[in-house]
Amino acid sequence: LVSSFSNPNQKILKSVLKKKPPSIPLAGLMPPTEAIDKLSSKQPSKTLIQILEDFKENSFLTSIFFLCSLDNHIEVARVLVDIKLNINDQYLFCLAPTGSLNELVT
Protein backbone atom coordinates (compact mmCIF):
# COMPACT_ATOMS: atom_id res chain seq x y z
CA LEU A 1 0.00 0.00 0.00
CA VAL A 2 1.45 3.32 -1.09
CA SER A 3 -0.05 6.78 -0.76
CA SER A 4 0.80 10.45 -1.09
CA PHE A 5 -0.38 13.59 0.63
CA SER A 6 -1.10 15.88 -2.30
CA ASN A 7 -2.59 15.46 -5.76
CA PRO A 8 0.57 16.40 -7.74
CA ASN A 9 2.54 13.83 -5.74
CA GLN A 10 -0.16 11.24 -6.43
CA LYS A 11 0.44 11.65 -10.19
CA ILE A 12 4.19 11.26 -9.74
CA LEU A 13 3.69 8.23 -7.55
CA LYS A 14 1.41 6.57 -10.12
CA SER A 15 3.93 7.12 -12.91
CA VAL A 16 6.81 5.74 -10.84
CA LEU A 17 4.82 2.64 -9.88
CA LYS A 18 4.15 1.86 -13.56
CA LYS A 19 7.88 1.55 -14.23
CA LYS A 20 9.84 -1.64 -13.67
CA PRO A 21 12.20 -1.17 -10.72
CA PRO A 22 15.92 -1.54 -11.44
CA SER A 23 17.56 -4.75 -10.35
CA ILE A 24 19.64 -4.49 -7.22
CA PRO A 25 22.94 -6.38 -7.59
CA LEU A 26 23.98 -6.15 -3.93
CA ALA A 27 22.25 -5.92 -0.58
CA GLY A 28 23.76 -4.21 2.43
CA LEU A 29 23.39 -5.73 5.88
CA MET A 30 23.91 -4.24 9.31
CA PRO A 31 24.26 -6.06 12.61
CA PRO A 32 20.85 -5.89 14.30
CA THR A 33 20.71 -4.40 17.78
CA GLU A 34 19.72 -7.81 19.13
CA ALA A 35 22.94 -9.34 17.76
CA ILE A 36 25.07 -6.61 19.35
CA ASP A 37 23.19 -7.09 22.63
CA LYS A 38 23.70 -10.86 22.54
CA LEU A 39 27.41 -10.54 21.78
CA SER A 40 27.88 -7.99 24.57
CA SER A 41 26.07 -10.22 27.07
CA LYS A 42 28.32 -13.17 26.16
CA GLN A 43 31.46 -11.02 26.43
CA PRO A 44 30.68 -8.21 28.90
CA SER A 45 34.27 -6.99 29.13
CA LYS A 46 34.38 -6.06 25.42
CA THR A 47 33.73 -2.55 24.20
CA LEU A 48 31.40 -1.77 21.31
CA ILE A 49 34.47 -1.21 19.14
CA GLN A 50 35.68 -4.74 19.85
CA ILE A 51 32.22 -6.23 19.29
CA LEU A 52 31.84 -4.47 15.93
CA GLU A 53 35.35 -5.50 14.87
CA ASP A 54 34.57 -9.11 15.88
CA PHE A 55 31.33 -8.96 13.93
CA LYS A 56 33.20 -7.64 10.89
CA GLU A 57 35.94 -10.27 11.09
CA ASN A 58 33.59 -13.21 11.71
CA SER A 59 30.82 -12.40 9.25
CA PHE A 60 30.50 -14.76 6.32
CA LEU A 61 28.63 -13.12 3.44
CA THR A 62 28.00 -14.33 -0.07
CA SER A 63 28.97 -12.17 -3.03
CA ILE A 64 25.55 -10.46 -3.15
CA PHE A 65 25.80 -9.05 0.39
CA PHE A 66 28.07 -6.51 2.10
CA LEU A 67 28.27 -4.97 5.56
CA CYS A 68 26.88 -1.43 5.59
CA SER A 69 29.03 1.34 7.07
CA LEU A 70 30.61 -0.87 9.71
CA ASP A 71 33.89 1.06 9.51
CA ASN A 72 31.96 4.30 10.09
CA HIS A 73 30.16 2.73 13.05
CA ILE A 74 33.52 1.72 14.53
CA GLU A 75 34.79 5.30 14.12
CA VAL A 76 31.74 6.69 15.93
CA ALA A 77 32.12 4.02 18.64
CA ARG A 78 35.69 5.27 19.20
CA VAL A 79 34.31 8.74 19.92
CA LEU A 80 31.76 7.30 22.37
CA VAL A 81 34.12 4.98 24.26
CA ASP A 82 34.62 7.37 27.19
CA ILE A 83 30.96 8.37 27.49
CA LYS A 84 29.01 6.51 30.17
CA LEU A 85 26.48 4.73 27.94
CA ASN A 86 25.57 1.07 27.73
CA ILE A 87 26.44 -0.86 24.57
CA ASN A 88 22.91 -0.57 23.12
CA ASP A 89 22.84 3.21 23.54
CA GLN A 90 26.30 3.53 22.01
CA TYR A 91 25.17 1.42 19.06
CA LEU A 92 22.09 3.63 18.62
CA PHE A 93 24.39 6.64 18.28
CA CYS A 94 26.43 4.71 15.72
CA LEU A 95 23.27 4.16 13.68
CA ALA A 96 22.35 7.86 13.68
CA PRO A 97 22.44 9.33 10.16
CA THR A 98 25.61 11.35 10.45
CA GLY A 99 29.07 10.83 9.05
CA SER A 100 32.12 10.55 11.23
CA LEU A 101 33.66 13.31 9.11
CA ASN A 102 31.11 15.68 10.59
CA GLU A 103 33.09 17.92 12.97
CA LEU A 104 30.26 17.88 15.52
CA VAL A 105 30.65 14.12 15.83
CA THR A 106 34.41 14.12 16.17
Side-chain angles (χ1 to χ4, degrees):
L1 180 62
V2 180
S3 185
S4 67
F5 185 71
S6 62
N7 219 14
N9 290 339
Q10 184 74 24
K11 291 176 184 176
I12 294 168
L13 185 60
K14 283 182 181 180
S15 72
V16 168
L17 289 174
K18 289 179 184 177
K19 297 177 183 176
K20 183 180 177 183
S23 65
I24 301 171
L26 298 172
L29 303 173
M30 294 177 62
T33 306
E34 295 81 11
I36 300 299
D37 189 40
K38 192 171 207 173
L39 288 170
S40 69
S41 70
K42 300 287 182 191
Q43 302 172 348
S45 64
K46 287 199 170 189
T47 65
L48 179 59
I49 299 163
Q50 294 167 321
I51 291 169
L52 291 174
E53 287 173 343
D54 286 350
F55 197 91
K56 182 179 173 182
E57 290 173 19
N58 296 309
S59 294
F60 296 101
L61 304 173
T62 65
S63 60
I64 62 169
F65 296 104
F66 64 93
L67 289 174
C68 293
S69 308
L70 208 52
D71 290 329
N72 290 340
H73 294 341
I74 292 169
E75 286 181 44
V76 174
R78 289 187 202 288
V79 174
L80 299 172
V81 75
D82 293 327
I83 300 173
K84 300 290 183 205
L85 295 171
N86 63 40
I87 296 285
N88 285 338
D89 290 341
Q90 288 181 16
Y91 191 54
L92 272 176
F93 273 100
C94 291
L95 297 177
T98 183
S100 59
L101 298 178
N102 184 329
E103 65 185 50
L104 292 174
V105 175
T106 56

